[in-house]
Amino acid sequence: MTEKQPVISIRNVTKRFGNMVAVDNVSIDILEGEFFVLLGPSGCGKTTLLRMIAGFEMPSEGQILIGGQDMAGVSPNQRPVNMVFQSYAVFPHMSVADNVAYGLKISGVAKPEIRTRVDEALELVSLGGLGQRMPDQLSGGQRQRVALARGLVMRPQVLLLDEPLSALDAKLRAQMQFELAELQDNVGITFVTVTHDQDEALSMACRIAVMNKGDVAQLAGPSDLYEHPANRFVADFIGSVNIFEGKLTVDEPEQAVVDCPEVGRVYLNHGVTGAHDTTVWVAIRPEKITMLPAGKAKAKDSPDGHNIANGQIKGLSYLGDVTVYEVRLESGRSIRVSRPNLSRWDQEDFSWDDKVSLHWHPTSPIVLLS
Amino acid sequence: MNLFKRAEIAPLEYTRRLWMRAWIAATLFFLYAPLLVLIAFSFNDSKRNIVWRGFTFKYYGKVLENDGLMAALGNSLTIAFLATVFSIILGTLAAVMLWRFRFPGKTAVEGTMALPIVVPEICMGVAMLVFFAKLDWPTDLPWPLNLSAITIAHITFCFPFVAMVVRARLAGFNKEQEEAAKDLGATEWQAFRDVLLPHMKPGIIAGALLAFTLSLDDFVITFFTSGPNTITFPVKVYSMVRFSVTPEVNAASAILIFLTILLTTVALKLQDFTKATA
Amino acid sequence: MQDWKQHKATFASIAVSPVLWLVAFFIVPLAVVWLYSFGRNVGLTEIDISGTFSNYGRALEPLYLEIFGKSVAVAALTTLICLIIGFPIALAITFAQPKWRPWMLLAIMLPFWTNLLIRTYALITVLRTEGYVNKSLGWFWEGASSLKVMVGMAPLSTWEPLPLLYNNFAVILGLVYVHLPFMVLPLYAALDRLDRSLIEASLDLGAGHFRTLTQIVAPLAAPGIISGVIITFVPALGAYLTPDLMGGPDSQMIANVIERQFKRANDWPFGAALSFLLMYATFILIALQTLRNRSAERRS
């Protein structure tokens, strides 16, 4: 396979609103044909970045290239990108077909061609036959499909989607996640989506840029973000996690030990980068902790007294597929443990105030330097 | 940093575009230049010429010595004050009535209440003239009773404005507050006084300001209801303007402009204050 | 909302004074005028309400029809000019930075709070023959003249002050000056309600600003534009002061004719008929607007 070309290059882009820095010296390359997601909490600058690509905001500093061309001074109506707005922005005074045809009419496409392309686009988003409806006769999900069709029919180099699913109810959202990913696969157009919803990002994206306070905290594929977060922000933002502060006491090529006052000595069977005796953080996902009745735990593949902790169950919430336990450790710190409900009968193995032992595999902990 | 290097103009930043700024500037110039010229030349030490001949307060002195003008100003302020007080009461009652009750003929009452706002001033002035003539309304009463006809006319066109503003404010009232007051033992009247009235206050203040300005400004309706002994300020200025453009008229006008600006400022401050305490 | 029957005493104590006031000092006076419009003068102050339609008949004479037509034309032109000036202003306020918006609104509103008579007077002082506009134009004229002399050409003829006052031009200018805020505020309210992403979507799909304005903004802001037009047109149609002070002998509008019947010609029945014709015209416009709004509400 040949190396994919970046269709969008964001180079050292900074955006200030007055004294507020919304986007801080961000550089990202978005590749041809990928489903790229900008993920982050509200106010992290992700929407501003998307709007700068579309041309609705101008970078204070830096460059944005689309298809190798510098976009400075190019107004939104001349950029080879189209946008699906958070509010969908379906023109309420035009029928569905007129909405989808709007951009084509402006670019002077011949009438017969407009009709076939509009029909195709509506078919693509499963709105075939609804062309004559007015937007106020459509459901929220259908309106969103109109917005999608309106963008796709222009055959842009990149389709930008601003929180495309946030206005839909939970069930519809789950369904649309799959449909969007499938649609992107079918049309082969690069999608750049902004979302604050990690599930949405993980399920749809090829690559995700996690943003925090105007910075890119990490840019990686979904599983890498989850299993190899680069810092505490990403570890905490994606999924659920227990984070402990500690000192790096053993730091060898094949093994490492972090001494955490709250949870004891954490052993890893691989080396980590980081200076000896510096403060680091250890992150352990709840599902990667094994819980046994007190005294039964024995951490395999770890030195004695490592990767093991004792405590008492102080809370549990039954979520159907898993049960999440809150265990108070001897240090007073609480830790979260989740157990899959594999059988229909073993849910009552553990209960409030049970004394338990926890242990985890030496590959489970993640050492974070920041 | 380069002084000329500014961020590009985003598509919807219309106010940063040069033609738009020029348009705004031209419009504001059109709106304000005549008023500023008028104020400036009320201080000009020259009788006719538009050339600046030095600063003087003497026309203000003349205005203050002009008994007819000062009496007219006194009349105007008295009428505005009375009209405001009555308009607040009537307007608030009307707003509460329309907001709270369902009753037969409500649409008709609502429509009629809006009429004084939309009826051309000249028609209303004519109606008042005819009405007071028909009643043989006495014109030789002692001050301030001789202002009663004008005051009644002013109340009639002011209180629907107060009703409109207060009703808009009432639309945002959470009725559960009143129910809570009653649940805690308040009577109908106590609930009104302690819960509803404080909520209406910003609306009432805004309505009062509107009524006062409308009354102080009105020329056409007053023109038809005033007699030789009941000249208001605008009517007096009108008769002066008809004859000539003099610095004295400028000074009198400037006084009224300052009064208006003062009132608006006070009202804006008051509204800020009520907003801050609400 | 409560039913009045369940709270008769409260309802009566609240309703009685505003309703009585409205009937006594508004409905009754209008009713008297209405009755007079079907009457005729007998004697100097005596009016006999005979049920005649002759006053309305007289209003249809070419002389008065022409004045009616002219009033409508002047008001319409005023409204159009206000719309052309006001739309970009409303647009600018809508998209200005939030911290600037209240100040821009205040700047537009402040003249509106100033006395109408004084504003008209101020305009007269700058427009009159010795006023600033003519003086500045005169200076430019003389400047151009001496410039021509300097390059060896014949000087311009002597400056004749432009007749800026006491004509139809002055009336329209004065009406625009006075009514501009009426137009800007409803336009601003309508544009402010508009979802910005609709405009952005149009630009995103390749439309230019002008096309976006005509195809997206104008249709969606139509209710605001129409109410701005009516709010401006209605008072302009019934304007009295501006044509009276700034107009010439041929720029009388309908309100001036009405005033003359009452104050000078002393033909109250005819004046009454004219004022009711003006009122009917106003009512029809406002009723149309209300109906439109109702049907728009029902649709959404």
Side-chain angles (χ1 to χ4, degrees):
Chain A
M1 211 170 90
T2 52
E3 183 74 1
K4 280 185 176 175
Q5 286 304 307
V7 59
I8 296 178
S9 279
I10 298 164
R11 293 186 185 164
N12 305 98
V13 165
T14 297
K15 175 67 182 174
R16 282 181 289 265
F17 294 105
N19 292 327
M20 209 261 294
V21 181
V23 174
D24 190 4
N25 196 18
V26 164
S27 298
I28 299 175
D29 276 346
I30 296 169
L31 306 178
E32 182 91 56
E34 75 174 330
F35 198 128
F36 193 89
V37 172
L38 292 164
L39 173 67
S42 63
C44 69
K46 58 191 192 299
T47 299
T48 308
L49 196 58
L50 193 78
R51 288 172 58 81
M52 284 194 284
I53 298 173
F56 295 119
E57 309 281 356
M58 301 299 164
S60 308
E61 280 163 40
Q63 257 189 325
I64 293 175
L65 282 76
I66 301 178
Q69 257 191 319
D70 189 353
M71 283 294 123
V74 180
S75 58
N77 46 5
Q78 276 140 12
R79 296 192 181 198
V81 298
N82 285 106
M83 183 143 164
V84 174
F85 290 82
Q86 184 170 14
S87 67
Y88 311 147
V90 174
F91 304 132
H93 60 303
M94 293 182 190
S95 71
V96 168
D98 285 342
N99 260 286
V100 179
Y102 184 77
L104 295 175
K105 273 185 202 154
I106 286 166
S107 32
V109 177
K111 271 203 173 137
E113 195 192 335
I114 291 184
R115 196 166 317 140
T116 46
R117 273 172 75 175
V118 167
D119 286 346
E120 272 170 30
L122 287 177
E123 211 60 60
L124 194 65
V125 297
S126 336
L127 280 181
L130 296 184
Q132 292 321 305
R133 292 263 186 101
M134 293 304 281
D136 57 8
Q137 297 169 304
L138 300 180
S139 69
Q142 287 172 322
R143 266 203 288 269
Q144 198 220 15
R145 287 159 194 264
V146 175
L148 261 173
R150 194 175 63 179
L152 286 172
V153 80
M154 302 297 292
R155 298 178 185 154
Q157 285 190 34
V158 181
L159 190 71
L160 308 171
L161 301 99
D162 185 8
E163 300 270 5
L165 306 177
S166 65
L168 304 179
D169 60 61
K171 252 211 165 113
L172 199 54
R173 199 180 320 161
Q175 183 198 334
M176 278 307 285
Q177 283 172 17
F178 287 108
E179 283 193 29
L180 267 183
E182 207 180 271
L183 187 68
Q184 194 269 337
D185 215 32
N186 288 340
V187 296
I189 292 173
T190 312
F191 276 30
V192 179
T193 298
V194 153
T195 182
H196 64 275
D197 185 320
Q198 41 148 327
D199 290 342
E200 213 170 291
L202 294 176
S203 73
M204 298 189 300
C206 305
R207 289 194 305 151
I208 300 170
V210 182
M211 293 191 65
N212 181 31
K213 293 176 186 159
D215 262 332
V216 175
Q218 190 174 3
L219 199 167
S223 62
D224 274 356
L225 280 182
Y226 190 80
E227 304 295 0
H228 304 283
N231 47 47
R232 277 179 292 160
F233 175 79
V234 174
D236 195 37
F237 190 73
I238 311 267
S240 175
V241 76
N242 300 295
I243 295 179
F244 305 98
E245 194 178 318
K247 280 229 160 36
L248 194 58
T249 51
V250 177
D251 178 21
E252 289 162 18
E254 292 300 320
Q255 58 174 356
V257 173
V258 181
D259 203 352
C260 302
E262 288 174 330
V263 76
R265 268 167 299 184
V266 177
Y267 174 78
L268 295 93
N269 61 359
H270 55 86
V272 296
T273 49
H276 195 76
D277 241 12
T278 48
T279 301
V280 295
W281 290 268
V282 172
I284 311 173
R285 302 271 182 203
E287 77 278 6
K288 296 195 169 63
I289 300 175
T290 312
M291 184 164 77
L292 290 167
K296 297 257 177 81
K298 169 91 180 69
K300 279 179 221 151
D301 308 325
S302 314
D304 247 3
H306 290 62
N307 287 0
I308 194 157
N310 296 311
Q312 198 174 13
I313 295 177
K314 282 298 169 191
L316 64 87
S317 35
Y318 173 72
L319 299 179
D321 50 351
V322 295
T323 302
V324 176
Y325 298 86
E326 183 139 341
V327 177
R328 168 101 46 85
L329 300 180
E330 283 156 349
S331 65
R333 163 76 193 259
S334 285
I335 182 170
R336 219 180 246 204
V337 182
S338 70
R339 290 180 87 230
N341 292 321
L342 298 175
S343 129
R344 290 169 60 204
W345 307 108
D346 70 350
Q347 294 144 15
E348 285 159 38
D349 282 0
F350 295 99
S351 189
W352 279 276
D353 290 334
D354 282 358
K355 291 211 157 58
V356 293
S357 288
L358 310 172
H359 70 93
W360 51 88
H361 197 263
T363 56
S364 295
I366 310 148
V367 173
L368 304 167
L369 301 178
S370 62
Chain B
M1 193 157 160
N2 193 335
L3 194 66
F4 297 100
K5 186 178 170 268
R6 299 171 58 200
E8 262 186 273
I9 298 172
L12 293 187
E13 284 182 312
Y14 287 116
T15 32
R16 283 186 57 199
R17 284 164 202 278
L18 196 63
W19 69 268
M20 183 64 99
R21 289 188 170 180
W23 193 271
I24 294 171
T27 307
L28 290 182
F29 180 79
F30 171 57
L31 284 178
Y32 282 93
L35 290 172
L36 294 178
V37 167
L38 180 140
I39 293 170
F41 281 86
S42 69
F43 298 108
N44 187 11
D45 193 4
S46 152
K47 189 74 190 159
R48 330 180 102 286
N49 217 318
I50 62 161
V51 180
W52 185 258
R53 291 237 190 280
F55 186 88
T56 178
F57 271 122
K58 79 175 173 204
Y59 297 108
Y60 287 85
K62 279 197 178 164
V63 167
L64 295 179
E65 283 162 19
N66 186 332
D67 289 338
L69 205 53
M70 292 321 285
L73 185 60
N75 283 343
S76 270
L77 291 174
T78 312
I79 293 166
F81 174 74
L82 290 173
T84 305
V85 171
F86 277 92
S87 297
I88 287 175
I89 297 168
L90 291 172
T92 307
L93 286 173
V96 172
M97 167 181 81
L98 291 173
W99 169 73
R100 150 132 324 144
F101 293 104
R102 205 177 323 110
F103 55 90
K106 182 170 172 178
T107 324
V109 173
E110 253 180 310
T112 319
M113 197 74 80
L115 274 189
I117 298 176
V118 297
V119 161
E121 279 188 304
I122 186 87
C123 300
M124 190 134 160
V126 162
M128 289 297 162
L129 170 70
V130 170
F131 176 69
F132 288 114
K134 183 98 185 155
L135 284 185
D136 261 331
W137 198 267
T139 51
D140 49 358
L141 296 168
W143 195 91
L145 289 177
N146 59 353
L147 303 175
S148 54
I150 303 177
T151 311
I152 286 171
H154 280 205
I155 294 167
T156 306
F157 74 77
C158 285
F159 93 85
F161 280 96
V162 179
M164 189 174 69
V165 175
V166 174
R167 203 177 165 200
R169 171 82 194 159
L170 274 174
F173 180 72
N174 176 3
K175 282 197 187 182
E176 287 183 359
Q177 284 184 26
E178 202 182 5
E179 284 162 5
K182 286 188 190 157
D183 179 67
L184 295 167
T187 63
E188 190 86 37
W189 162 246
Q190 283 168 329
F192 175 79
R193 186 195 58 197
D194 297 337
V195 179
L196 200 57
L197 204 56
H199 177 83
M200 288 191 291
K201 208 168 101 189
I204 294 176
I205 292 174
L209 176 82
L210 197 60
F212 195 86
T213 333
L214 285 171
S215 166
L216 204 59
D217 265 10
D218 180 72
F219 166 74
V220 175
I221 296 168
T222 317
F223 186 52
F224 282 93
T225 31
S226 66
N229 300 320
T230 52
I231 301 287
T232 66
F233 194 78
V235 175
K236 181 74 186 168
V237 171
Y238 175 76
S239 62
M240 291 165 83
V241 168
R242 283 209 73 100
F243 290 117
S244 64
V245 171
T246 65
E248 204 177 327
V249 181
N250 282 18
S253 306
I255 290 175
L256 203 59
I257 293 177
F258 291 137
L259 207 65
T260 312
I261 292 176
L262 188 75
L263 265 173
T264 315
T265 319
V266 169
L268 288 178
K269 281 267 180 297
L270 265 179
Q271 264 178 326
D272 271 357
F273 177 73
T274 46
K275 238 181 256 164
T277 53
Chain C
M1 206 159 305
Q2 298 171 346
D3 196 328
W4 73 287
K5 281 186 201 143
Q6 281 146 20
H7 309 266
K8 275 185 183 149
T10 323
F11 177 69
S13 62
I14 290 175
V16 73
S17 40
V19 169
L20 270 187
W21 188 283
L22 204 62
V23 170
F25 298 118
F26 185 70
I27 303 294
V28 169
L30 283 183
V32 174
V33 176
W34 188 69
L35 287 176
Y36 276 10
S37 73
F38 299 103
R40 68 196 169 85
N41 275 332
V42 288
L44 209 56
T45 53
E46 204 70 18
I47 290 167
D48 171 37
I49 296 160
S50 54
T52 173
F53 280 91
S54 63
N55 296 311
Y56 290 97
R58 219 181 125 196
L60 295 177
E61 284 172 14
L63 172 68
Y64 297 107
L65 272 186
E66 197 186 316
I67 290 179
F68 248 109
K70 183 162 190 179
S71 303
V72 170
V74 166
L77 195 54
T78 301
T79 310
L80 183 68
I81 296 173
C82 283
L83 185 61
I84 292 169
I85 300 180
F87 196 88
I89 301 282
L91 203 65
I93 300 176
T94 311
F95 293 102
Q97 285 182 28
K99 63 176 176 189
W100 285 109
R101 231 175 282 155
W103 295 107
M104 292 171 80
L105 278 174
L106 189 69
I108 295 293
M109 282 297 287
L110 200 59
F112 174 75
W113 290 103
T114 318
N115 195 306
L116 172 69
L117 184 61
I118 290 173
R119 275 185 292 160
T120 311
Y121 170 64
L123 205 55
I124 291 173
T125 57
V126 295
L127 289 180
R128 69 202 159 115
T129 326
E130 317 86 71
Y132 250 84
V133 175
N134 262 318
K135 278 280 186 265
S136 333
L137 288 175
W139 283 323
F140 278 121
W141 186 267
E142 276 160 30
S145 181
S146 48
L147 214 64
K148 276 184 85 180
V149 171
M150 249 191 277
V151 296
M153 284 154 71
L156 292 166
S157 54
T158 42
W159 166 250
E160 286 295 325
L162 290 177
L164 295 173
L165 265 184
Y166 312 121
N167 51 33
N168 295 329
F169 163 80
V171 172
I172 290 175
L173 188 74
L175 288 174
V176 168
Y177 184 65
V178 166
H179 290 102
L180 192 57
F182 286 101
M183 181 62 91
V184 173
L185 291 183
L187 285 182
Y188 164 71
L191 290 177
D192 194 44
R193 267 201 302 273
L194 205 67
D195 181 358
R196 256 153 229 236
S197 49
L198 290 169
I199 300 174
E200 290 178 343
S202 172
L203 294 175
D204 185 68
L205 292 165
H209 284 273
F210 184 73
R211 195 165 186 141
T212 304
L213 223 53
T214 53
Q215 300 204 350
I216 307 295
V217 179
L220 292 175
I225 295 172
I226 289 172
S227 72
V229 163
I230 288 183
I231 285 176
T232 315
F233 184 81
V234 164
L237 183 65
Y240 168 76
L241 202 58
T242 315
D244 183 57
L245 287 177
M246 301 183 73
D250 69 329
S251 22
Q252 296 295 296
M253 288 173 70
I254 190 68
N256 307 96
V257 180
I258 294 173
E259 186 262 356
R260 211 179 312 134
Q261 305 311 317
F262 281 91
K263 286 225 151 176
R264 275 166 263 182
N266 212 21
D267 190 348
W268 287 19
F270 181 50
L274 285 178
S275 44
F276 260 89
L277 286 177
L278 175 59
M279 224 158 8
Y280 291 142
T282 310
F283 289 165
I284 289 168
L285 280 173
I286 287 166
L288 283 179
Q289 148 90 339
T290 317
L291 280 181
R292 218 198 110 91
N293 281 354
R294 289 247 170 91
S295 63
E297 263 167 43
R298 213 169 300 134
R299 243 181 294 128
S300 64

